[in-house]
């Protein structure tokens, strides 16, 4: 474990680790011990990394940019705390595009928590985001946002069972990726977005405009394992919900607040009359 003297001014505590169980757990423990925000932990490897719904998240040492940020969001309404994760996602997408010299919006968002790249072979996951909160609505709220981005990970080394669903910044760019350069670019962009968020401004257009699902048929799996095919119309930048409609367009649009999109139909879909995307 080593501290760094290179933390940008908006970071109160910044530590790098060769290996940890989970950066989310590290940052959560700091906050519960009284550390002010914003705090940041970066690791070369996680031995107990996790995603949503109890899933695991693994990557070879040095292949991914693994980090967690800790906040004390007393300045955010509890219903808007999800915008911290949204801001982290946009900042990382922009940083990845800069460092890999990719066209704007090459890295897209897939509701609710993935960064993806659209390829001829389908949509490939490049990063996952995990937000965890405690005490929202109290005088001592805590929010932790973890993100793991497949940075300098060669496609030849992808796990066999995930090779058809994932990619890395290295594979998209066609060259090695410097994780420190990626981290620096991310923090510059995050600083700007957090300043705006503290002033009550969330980049709704940036968040919604990167969504890969807008206007497409998607298969959504709920927490209970049930699944349904719906048309994803748009995302709601106030609530974070996915606004969907049944494929026959007969029912009124409705909002989904939980679930995972497990399939996106890539061919263009005709829009219903008056449909907003």
């Amino acid at each position: 474990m080593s501290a760094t003297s290179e933390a940008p001014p908006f970071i109160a505590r910044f530590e790098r680790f060769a290996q940890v169980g989970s950066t989310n757990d590290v940052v959560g423990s700091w906050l519960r011990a009284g550390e002010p925000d914003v705090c940041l932990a970066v690791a070369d490897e996680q031995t107990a990394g996790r995603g949503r719904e109890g899933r695991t998240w693994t990557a070879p040492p040095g292949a991914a940019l693994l980090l967690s940020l800790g906040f004390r969001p007393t300045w955010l309404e509890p219903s808007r705390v999800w915008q911290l994760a949204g801001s982290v996602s946009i900042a990382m997408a922009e940083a990845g595009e800069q460092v890999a010299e990719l066209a704007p919006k090459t890295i897209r968002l897939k509701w609710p928590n993935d960064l993806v790249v659209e390829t001829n072979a389908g949509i490939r996951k490049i990063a996952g985001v995990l937000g965890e909160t405690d005490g929202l609505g109290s005088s001592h709220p805590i929010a932790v946002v973890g993100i793991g981005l497949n940075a300098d990970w060669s496609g030849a080394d992808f796990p066999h069972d995930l090779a058809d669903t994932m990619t890395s910044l290295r594979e998209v760019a066609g060259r090695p990726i410097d994780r420190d350069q990626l981290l620096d670019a991310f923090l510059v962009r995050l600083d700007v977005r957090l300043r705006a968020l503290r002033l009550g401004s969330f980049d709704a257009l940036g968040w919604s405009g990167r969504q890969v699902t807008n206007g497409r048929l998607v298969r959504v799996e709920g927490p209970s394992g049930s699944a349904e095919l719906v048309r994803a119309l748009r995302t709601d930048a106030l609530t974070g919900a996915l606004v969907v409609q049944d494929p026959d367009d007969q029912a009124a649009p409705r909002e989904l607040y939980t679930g995972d999109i497990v399939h996106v139909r890539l061919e263009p879909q005709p829009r219903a009359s008056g449909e907003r995307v």
Side-chain angles (χ1 to χ4, degrees), residues 206-219:
W207 183 71
S208 298
R210 282 187 183 266
Q211 298 292 331
V212 76
T213 55
N214 288 351
R216 287 171 162 165
L217 290 178
V218 300
R219 183 175 176 83

Side-chain angles (χ1 to χ4, degrees), residues 9-12 36-39 70-77 80 83-84 87 190-203:
F10 77 100
I11 299 292
D37 72 355
V38 178
C39 48
F71 305 91
R72 296 186 178 278
T74 54
W75 42 274
L76 266 178
E77 292 292 331
R80 294 186 57 215
Q83 292 176 348
L84 287 168
S87 299
L190 183 65
D191 186 14
V192 173
R193 295 194 174 277
L194 290 181
R195 289 174 186 269
L197 200 58
R198 288 180 181 273
L199 295 174
S201 177
F202 173 65
D203 186 5

Side-chain angles (χ1 to χ4, degrees), residues 24 150 228:
N24 266 32
N150 301 330
E228 59 178 333

Side-chain angles (χ1 to χ4, degrees), residues 21 26 34 37 101 110 128 135 146 154 159 178 226 239 270 273:
V26 169
D37 72 355
E101 300 181 336
K110 182 168 74 70
S154 171
D178 186 316
S226 61
T239 65
S273 177

